Amino acid sequence: YRLPIGDCLYTTILNDSNNFTNANTTPETFSLAAGIAGLGINPSDLNRRYFLNHRPNEMRYVGQTLATIQLYNNGRILVMHSTLDMQKTNDLAPDSIMNMTRWVQGVKGVDAIAHFREDAPGLFKLSLRSPILDVNKIAVAYGGGGHQKASGAHLKGSLDEVRQDILNKLTTAIAEHDSRAGR
C-alpha cells in the first residue's frame, strides 16, 4: 500500500535539495529519501513530474529568459530577467513560473546569479543564488530573505535601476569574499 504523503515528502526533498545537488544535501537527506522510497513511491516518476514535465510554452519562456543572460565582473556574476511581455506571450501566470535560477546554477566560473522577474510595471521579484556568498544579507536589505546560498526579495524601479543596484551589491560582496580569501 502506497501513501500519497510519501510523494509529497519526497518531492519536497527533491525541491529543497535541488535534486540532491545543493550544499544542504547531507547523508541524512539521502537516508530520509531512501526511507520514503521504501514506502512504495516511484522516485523516477516524481523526478520526471517535478523537474521535467514542462509544457512547450514554459520551455519557450525559459529560453527567452536564458537569452537575456549577461555576465559581469569578469564573468563571475550572471544576470538574467523575465518580463511581463514574456509571461503574456507564453500565457503564463506569475505563480506558475518555475524557479529560473535552477537552469543556470553550476555555470562554470559564475559565483553569483541574479534573476529579475517582472511581476508588475516597476516591480520585480529578485532571486539570488551563490555558492560562495551570503546572498541572504543582500535580500534582507530589501525586506526579503531566504537562505545563505539562495534568497530573494521584491524590488521597485526600472529594470536598469534594480539591476545596477544589485550588481553593485554583488560586486562588493565578491570583492569582500576575495579579500577574506586572500585573493
Side-chain angles (χ1 to χ4, degrees):
Y1 176 73
R2 189 174 130 279
L3 295 174
I5 194 161
D7 289 356
C8 296
L9 291 171
Y10 189 83
T11 302
T12 299
I13 292 170
L14 283 179
N15 182 49
D16 190 51
S17 68
N18 197 14
N19 206 14
F20 303 105
T21 63
N22 286 350
N24 67 347
T25 304
T26 64
E28 290 79 18
T29 307
F30 287 108
S31 179
L32 182 58
I36 295 169
L39 297 175
I41 66 162
N42 184 334
S44 64
D45 180 59
L46 292 172
N47 183 63
R48 182 190 52 76
R49 285 193 288 153
Y50 186 75
F51 283 105
L52 304 176
N53 196 26
H54 303 296
R55 297 176 313 205
N57 60 328
E58 291 171 327
M59 293 309 297
R60 185 181 319 108
Y61 176 84
V62 169
Q64 291 170 338
T65 301
L66 294 176
T68 70
I69 289 175
Q70 294 180 304
L71 297 173
Y72 300 91
N73 197 6
N74 296 315
R76 295 179 71 186
I77 301 172
L78 183 151
V79 175
M80 60 186 179
H81 67 273
S82 308
T83 65
L84 286 171
D85 187 51
M86 290 175 190
Q87 291 176 34
K88 182 179 176 185
T89 299
N90 292 296
D91 194 29
L92 296 174
D95 61 347
S96 73
I97 296 170
M98 74 282 307
N99 175 356
M100 294 303 300
T101 58
R102 184 168 278 156
W103 298 95
V104 292
Q105 283 181 250
V107 171
K108 187 175 182 175
V110 171
D111 291 324
I113 297 167
H115 173 239
F116 300 90
R117 184 185 76 201
E118 186 180 24
D119 284 347
L123 179 64
F124 294 87
K125 164 86 172 71
L126 168 68
S127 295
L128 296 171
R129 303 290 184 272
S130 176
I132 66 166
L133 304 176
D134 183 351
V135 293
N136 188 52
K137 288 181 181 178
I138 295 171
V140 166
Y142 294 92
H147 305 281
Q148 182 176 350
K149 307 293 182 205
S151 293
H154 286 91
L155 308 174
K156 292 182 180 178
S158 71
L159 178 59
D160 289 338
E161 291 168 340
V162 297
R163 177 178 36 225
Q164 191 57 55
D165 194 35
I166 295 301
L167 272 173
N168 291 342
K169 300 262 190 301
L170 290 172
T171 300
T172 298
I174 287 174
E176 289 171 356
H177 171 270
D178 288 353
S179 176
R180 285 190 307 275
R183 291 184 184 171

